[in-house]
């Protein structure tokens, strides 16, 4: 073989990478032994090790990537979903800045479409799904006092499915938007769905596989593995919200996965959704059968977190446990029946439009049960305005605004007018920013003593993070709603000049939001430099005994 | 969480976001964005029927080689013929190259749809016009000769000297196909 300089560089880089990974693996094994110190006599197999590790208070650590107990899997998901959150967030801020002028300031339409797609897919599949799976893996074992953790290797494999799926989404640079409609997705050009949009489809498939398997494992944890002392009627509401989410994922995600495989097959031999068959709408139906439930998948665990955190910061009990469970389960059932409201303008027919309109109005009932339950809990309690509590209160207000703007769209007539406008964007950003993102950060702040190994976060910085996030949400989404109601179209790189004031206000809001998230990172680094000052107890896992 | 973990996590998040943003923006701009249509002194109409078996498949000369001149606005009237998705894509060179395409326009798959594609070439040379969906069958050459007269005066169509009687589709509009 001829020696070449490039080959030598390539070879040495690969060997260095391999050595680094081996070293990391051995460090992780060392860390594992250190954590399990003094328990060697009771351990007979790996699943027992996992069970012990899963019940420990576990810190944020990169060693988690090489350990396969539930807590480590949770930390992996939290770290990775934060990465996807920052990638997708920067893409969103980029779009806002480019829309400062009616003629795009620095993005070409193709670049805009790439950012739009990456923002949507990574936020929903990377951040929302990932943070929920992470918190589920992290919190469920200690909430349910699980004694066995035998499926660690499967959890670990599914995490890597999720991670590789997210990386494929990034590398696809698809321009087909997050719903991957046919025939756009199968036009493999930059002006079509992106040259590698099939990679995005493969990424979505991998992530949904991970979500499905994780859902089954969550259901197994909750119904089979939980400690006998926890009766079904005493199950934490967070566990009920995970039950609701898992059933929702299992009942709807496979439909979208089938549609994705059909899309990939159509690249080779267009038989399923070709225009001459008149079934381009077929893909839309298959997609939205999952596309609406995923919004609830992102929201229902946040409800569960509110149910867990709110009573603790209000020094009281949940006002009504039963109505909480009923609300969460009703949301699951009803949200599976409303997907047609995304297709009011696609020609499903008046009959179906009215059916989906009715079911969409009905979703207001479990949502209202839930919100009234929170308000009643607040009413009877004594409120402490800690940082997680601020996030919770903001989440409730944002959810009410987002919910009301959402119910308005369920009216078929109004939907004709506001379909495809920024009104819709405003509606779901209220919910996804206020509820999903806000509650994920509330959980991270509530878990902070444990995640940081006994440190406090800087309260001033955390409050700055909260206020900038909340303010940014309002400054960005209220102008969207106002402009959207006048017909400001979404998903476009430019716009008509009459909408400039709305877009400029939204751009300022987006920048405020971005600065807020940077403050979160600064807080993370700043608090890690402080000495250990508190115990690593946290209020979400307060009943867990260390090491048992 | 040690200090190293926190700092490296923050660095990974920021670097990941920044590098991904750079990667997103470096998407190939290829089609429709690389060139700007040149100035033109006159216009010329070229009619193309989009058919999966070949451009102008029903004529006696499918996939005709089109001759035109620089600084003439070529007005392609593309007519959908077979209910299948097509594009009119033009790139420099003798072969299809999607990444260097200067024009790419989608033709909606509804028979009878007419799409107008206007382009004026500033550089003489050989170009390829084709359909991205059917690159094997729908491909032809577009040969641009330099115009001697680049002033605003109108160049007569007949100056190329092709026999109009040999032309197939589009001859009445003055398009010049190879015979």
């Amino acid at each position: 073989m001829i020696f070449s300089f490039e080959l030598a560089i390539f070879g040495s880089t690969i060997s260095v990478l391999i050595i680094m990974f081996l070293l990391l693996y051995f460090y992780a094994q060392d860390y594992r032994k250190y954590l399990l110190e003094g328990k060697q006599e009771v351990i007979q197999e790996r699943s027992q090790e996992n069970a012990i590790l899963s019940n420990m208070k576990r810190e944020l650590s990169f060693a988690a990537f090489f350990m396969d107990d539930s807590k480590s899997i949770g930390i992996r998901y939290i770290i990775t979903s934060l990465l996807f959150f920052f990638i997708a967030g920067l893409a969103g801020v980029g779009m806002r800045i480019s829309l400062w002028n009616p003629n795009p300031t620095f993005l070409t339409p193709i670049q805009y479409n790439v950012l739009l797609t990456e923002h949507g897919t990574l936020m929903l599949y990377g951040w929302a799904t990932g943070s929920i799976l992470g918190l589920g893996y992290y919190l469920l074992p200690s909430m349910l006092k699980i004694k066995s953790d035998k499926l660690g290797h499967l959890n670990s494999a599914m995490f890597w499915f999720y991670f590789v799926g997210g990386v494929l989404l990034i590398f696809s640079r698809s321009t087909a938007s997050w719903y991957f409609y046919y025939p756009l997705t199968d036009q493999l050009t930059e002006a079509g769905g992106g040259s590698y949009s099939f990679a995005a489809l493969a990424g979505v498939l991998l992530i949904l596989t991970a979500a499905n398997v994780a859902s089954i494992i969550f259901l197994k944890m909750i119904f089979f593995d939980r400690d006998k002392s926890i009766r079904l009627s005493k199950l934490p509401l967070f566990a009920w919200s995970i039950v609701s989410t898992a059933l929702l994922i299992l009942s709807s995600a496979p439909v979208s996965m089938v549609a994705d495989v059909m899309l990939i097959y159509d690249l080779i031999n267009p038989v399923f959704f070709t225009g001459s068959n008149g079934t381009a709408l077929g893909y839309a139906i298959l997609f939205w059968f999952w596309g609406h439930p995923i919004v609830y998948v992102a929201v229902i665990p946040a409800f569960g977190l509110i149910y867990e955190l709110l009573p603790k910061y209000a020094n009281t009990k949940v006002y009504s446990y039963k109505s909480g469970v009923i609300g969460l389960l009703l949301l699951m059932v009803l949200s599976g029946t409303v997907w047609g409201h995304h297709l009011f303008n696609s020609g499903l027919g008046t009959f179906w439009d009215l059916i989906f309109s009715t079911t969409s109005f009905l979703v207001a009932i479990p949502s209202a049960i839930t919100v009234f339950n929170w308000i009643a809990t607040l009413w009877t309690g004594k409120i402490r305005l800690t940082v997680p509590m601020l996030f919770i209160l903001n989440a409730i207000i944002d959810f009410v605004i987002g919910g009301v703007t959402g119910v308005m769209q369920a009216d078929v007539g109004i939907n004709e007018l506001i379909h495809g406008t920024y009104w819709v964007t405003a509606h779901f950003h209220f919910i996804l920013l206020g509820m999903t993102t806000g509650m994920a950060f509330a959980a991270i702040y509530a878990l902070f003593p444990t995640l940081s190994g006994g440190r406090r976060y800087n309260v001033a910085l955390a409050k700055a993070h909260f206020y900038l996030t909340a303010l940014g949400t309002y400054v960005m989404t209220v102008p969207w709603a106002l402009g959207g109601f006048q017909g400001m179209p979404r998903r476009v790189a430019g716009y008509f000049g009459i909408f400039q004031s709305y877009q400029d206000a939204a751009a300022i809001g987006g920048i405020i939001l971005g600065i807020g998230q940077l403050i979160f990172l600064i807080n993370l680094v700043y608090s890690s430099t402080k000495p250990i000052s508190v115990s690593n107890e946290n209020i979400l896992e307060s009943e867990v005994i260390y090491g048992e | 969480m040690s200090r190293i973990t926190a700092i490296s996590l923050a660095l990974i998040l920021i670097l990941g976001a920044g590098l991904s943003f750079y990667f997103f923006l470096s998407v190939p701009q290829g089609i429709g964005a690389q060139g700007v249509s040149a100035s033109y002194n006159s216009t010329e109409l070229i009619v193309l029927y989009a058919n999966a078996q070949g451009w102008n498949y029903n004529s006696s000369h499918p996939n005709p080689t089109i001759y035109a001149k620089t600084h003439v606005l070529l007005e392609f009237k593309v007519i959908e013929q077979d209910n299948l998705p097509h594009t009119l894509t033009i790139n420099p060179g003798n072969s299809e190259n999607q990444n260097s395409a200067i024009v790419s326009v989608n033709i909606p798959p509804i028979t009878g749809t007419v799409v107008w594609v206007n382009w004026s070439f500033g550089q003489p040379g050989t170009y390829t016009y084709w359909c991205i969906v059917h690159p094997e069958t729908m491909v032809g050459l577009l040969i641009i000769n330099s115009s001697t007269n680049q002033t605003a005066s109108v160049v007569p169509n007949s100056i190329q000297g092709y026999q109009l009687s040999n032309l197939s589709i589009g001859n009445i509009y003055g398009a010049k196909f190879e015979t």
Side-chain angles (χ1 to χ4, degrees):
Chain A
M1 197 176 188
I2 302 161
F3 174 81
S4 79
F5 184 67
E6 287 83 2
L7 197 68
I9 295 287
F10 178 74
S12 48
T13 315
I14 296 289
S15 3
V16 167
L17 274 178
I18 291 171
I19 291 167
M20 276 169 63
F21 272 96
L22 285 176
L23 275 178
L24 270 174
Y25 181 75
F26 284 115
Y27 277 131
Q29 291 307 308
D30 262 9
Y31 183 59
R32 192 183 183 101
K33 284 204 189 88
Y34 152 77
L35 288 175
L36 290 167
E37 241 169 39
K39 300 188 181 59
Q40 292 302 326
E41 65 277 10
V42 289
I43 296 168
Q44 280 155 8
E45 50 181 306
R46 191 63 171 240
S47 64
Q48 279 175 321
E49 273 187 36
N50 278 346
I52 290 170
L53 288 172
S54 280
N55 282 319
M56 281 185 179
K57 308 254 173 226
R58 292 294 303 281
E59 298 178 17
L60 210 62
S61 156
F62 286 110
F65 281 84
F66 300 91
M67 297 167 72
D68 55 4
D69 56 290
S70 287
K71 292 261 152 144
S72 297
I73 304 277
I75 286 170
R76 288 188 200 180
Y77 273 111
I78 290 171
I79 291 177
T80 318
S81 62
L82 273 175
L83 174 65
F84 291 146
F85 174 72
F86 276 86
I87 294 173
L90 187 59
V93 174
M95 285 192 287
R96 284 301 112 219
I97 294 171
S98 175
L99 286 170
W100 186 266
N101 285 332
N103 285 328
T105 51
F106 78 100
L107 293 177
T108 65
I110 289 174
Q111 287 172 331
Y112 181 90
N113 287 347
V114 171
L115 292 186
L116 176 77
T117 310
E118 298 295 345
H119 178 76
T121 48
L122 286 178
M123 279 293 184
L124 274 169
Y125 293 120
W127 166 240
T129 312
S131 62
I132 286 153
L133 294 181
L135 290 170
Y137 275 120
Y138 195 87
L139 294 177
L140 282 181
S142 38
M143 279 184 177
L144 305 171
K145 297 177 185 156
I146 287 170
K147 289 280 192 321
S148 68
D149 189 6
K150 291 178 183 155
L151 293 173
H153 51 289
L154 190 60
N155 288 332
S156 179
M158 285 307 122
F159 167 77
W160 291 112
F161 266 48
Y162 160 83
F163 183 78
V164 172
V167 171
L168 277 178
L169 281 178
I170 294 171
F171 276 91
S172 70
R173 288 194 297 208
S174 173
T175 53
S177 196
W178 80 282
Y179 41 59
F180 300 112
Y181 273 172
Y182 185 86
L184 185 67
T185 308
D186 280 357
Q187 291 175 8
L188 299 184
T189 66
E190 302 308 341
S195 299
Y196 304 101
S197 68
F198 54 86
L201 290 174
V204 170
L205 272 175
L206 288 179
I207 291 175
L208 290 186
T209 309
N212 273 304
V213 175
S215 300
I216 295 171
I217 289 173
F218 284 160
L219 290 177
K220 175 180 172 291
M221 276 185 192
I222 292 167
F223 288 115
F224 298 110
D225 293 349
R226 72 170 193 277
D227 194 81
K228 293 287 174 286
S229 64
I230 303 170
R231 294 170 57 196
L232 212 55
S233 56
K234 300 283 177 201
L235 211 58
L237 278 160
F238 179 71
W240 276 117
S241 74
I242 292 287
V243 169
S244 186
T245 311
L247 289 175
L248 204 52
I249 290 178
L250 288 174
S251 61
S252 58
V255 177
S256 175
M257 291 166 74
V258 168
D260 286 347
V261 174
M262 285 163 134
L263 264 189
I264 294 174
Y265 184 77
D266 265 4
L267 281 169
I268 307 157
N269 182 16
V271 293
F272 290 115
F273 304 121
T274 44
S276 53
N277 289 344
T279 52
L281 186 60
Y283 176 77
I285 289 173
L286 289 176
F287 174 79
W288 285 113
F289 192 79
W290 154 250
H292 194 79
I294 188 177
V295 185
Y296 285 80
V297 167
V299 167
I300 293 176
F303 288 2
L305 282 173
I306 292 187
Y307 274 126
E308 292 300 322
L309 287 171
L310 187 67
K312 289 176 180 156
Y313 290 116
N315 291 327
T316 179
K317 290 195 294 185
V318 174
Y319 177 74
S320 163
Y321 175 85
K322 274 182 191 163
S323 76
V325 177
I326 290 171
L328 290 173
L329 293 181
L330 255 186
L331 267 178
M332 170 191 76
V333 175
L334 285 176
S335 67
T337 62
V338 300
W339 49 271
H341 66 210
H342 294 269
L343 300 166
F344 278 164
N345 290 349
S346 306
L348 293 178
T350 313
F351 176 74
W352 286 107
D353 281 359
L354 289 177
I355 282 186
F356 287 123
S357 173
T358 311
T359 52
S360 308
F361 279 122
L362 286 179
V363 172
I365 295 172
S367 311
I369 290 176
T370 312
V371 172
F372 283 129
N373 206 349
W374 294 331
I375 293 173
T377 310
L378 285 171
W379 202 285
T380 53
K382 192 165 175 292
I383 298 168
R384 278 191 298 144
L385 278 183
T386 56
V387 175
M389 190 61 173
L390 288 173
F391 270 108
I392 291 169
L393 295 177
N394 183 54
I396 296 173
I397 297 167
D398 275 6
F399 179 68
V400 170
I401 301 174
V404 169
T405 51
V407 167
M408 281 171 71
Q409 294 166 57
D411 185 284
V412 182
I414 293 178
N415 195 286
E416 286 287 318
L417 295 173
I418 57 181
H419 185 90
T421 67
Y422 266 99
W423 173 273
V424 187
T425 321
H427 150 67
F428 68 76
H429 273 80
F430 261 122
I431 291 181
L432 292 175
L433 263 171
M435 185 56 88
T436 311
T437 309
M439 283 318 297
F441 280 121
I444 288 175
Y445 280 121
L447 289 171
F448 201 84
T450 309
L451 289 181
S452 64
R455 291 182 175 84
R456 294 169 194 274
Y457 53 84
N458 183 300
V459 177
L461 283 175
K463 283 196 171 169
H465 174 212
F466 163 72
Y467 283 117
L468 287 178
T469 308
L471 182 74
T473 309
Y474 289 110
V475 175
M476 186 170 77
T477 41
V478 170
W480 279 353
L482 297 176
F485 214 73
Q486 298 176 21
M488 182 164 72
R490 63 192 271 225
R491 291 205 177 98
V492 278
Y495 53 92
F496 298 116
I498 48 168
F499 297 124
Q500 190 171 6
S501 50
Y502 301 120
Q503 290 283 7
D504 287 359
I508 293 169
I511 293 166
I512 294 174
L513 263 175
I515 294 170
Q517 310 320 308
L518 283 183
I519 288 177
F520 168 72
L521 282 190
I522 293 169
N523 196 357
L524 200 68
V525 174
Y526 178 75
S527 12
S528 75
T529 60
K530 297 285 159 194
I532 294 170
S533 55
V534 286
S535 77
N536 63 352
E537 297 287 318
N538 67 66
I539 57 167
L540 275 171
E541 307 173 286
S542 47
E543 288 168 16
V544 190
I545 305 154
Y546 182 84
E548 286 299 319
Chain B
M1 182 179 68
S2 63
R3 195 186 310 173
I4 296 169
T5 310
I7 292 172
S8 49
L9 180 62
L11 275 180
I12 286 173
L13 294 183
I14 291 173
L15 275 179
L19 289 176
S20 304
F21 192 71
Y22 173 77
F23 179 71
F24 295 153
L25 292 197
S26 66
V27 62
Q29 292 298 302
I31 289 163
Q34 283 196 342
V36 178
S37 187
S39 62
Y40 61 96
N41 310 316
S42 62
T43 61
E44 201 167 283
L45 188 86
I46 298 167
V47 178
L48 288 173
Y49 280 87
N51 187 316
Q53 301 177 70
W55 294 102
N56 292 347
Y57 181 71
N58 293 329
S59 73
S60 53
H61 295 91
N63 292 327
T65 300
I66 303 171
Y67 290 87
K69 293 169 66 173
T70 54
H71 295 283
V72 173
L73 186 71
L74 303 179
E75 300 191 333
F76 294 93
K77 182 184 184 185
V78 190
I79 305 169
E80 172 70 27
Q81 210 174 27
D82 59 358
N83 266 344
L84 291 174
H86 299 296
T87 69
L88 175 62
T89 305
I90 301 175
N91 62 266
N94 289 322
S95 60
E96 295 139 322
N97 182 352
Q98 197 174 314
N99 287 330
S100 67
I102 47 177
V103 175
S104 187
V105 178
N106 291 343
I107 318 297
I110 298 165
T111 300
T113 308
V114 177
V115 174
W116 289 89
V117 181
N118 297 340
W119 197 261
S120 166
F121 291 88
Q123 295 294 323
T126 306
Y127 294 80
T128 306
Y129 72 95
W130 54 294
C131 165
I132 288 173
V133 191
H134 306 96
E136 298 289 327
T137 48
M138 298 174 70
V139 52
L141 287 182
L142 179 62
I143 293 167
I144 308 291
N145 299 313
S146 66
S147 165
T148 50
N149 187 355
Q150 294 197 1
T151 62
S153 66
V154 176
V155 182
N157 279 342
S158 59
I159 200 165
Q160 295 283 338
Y162 288 101
Q163 293 181 349
L164 287 175
S165 58
N166 283 341
L167 296 182
S168 50
I169 295 167
N171 54 359
I172 53 166
Y173 300 108
K176 290 165 282 292
F177 298 140
E178 192 181 40
T179 56

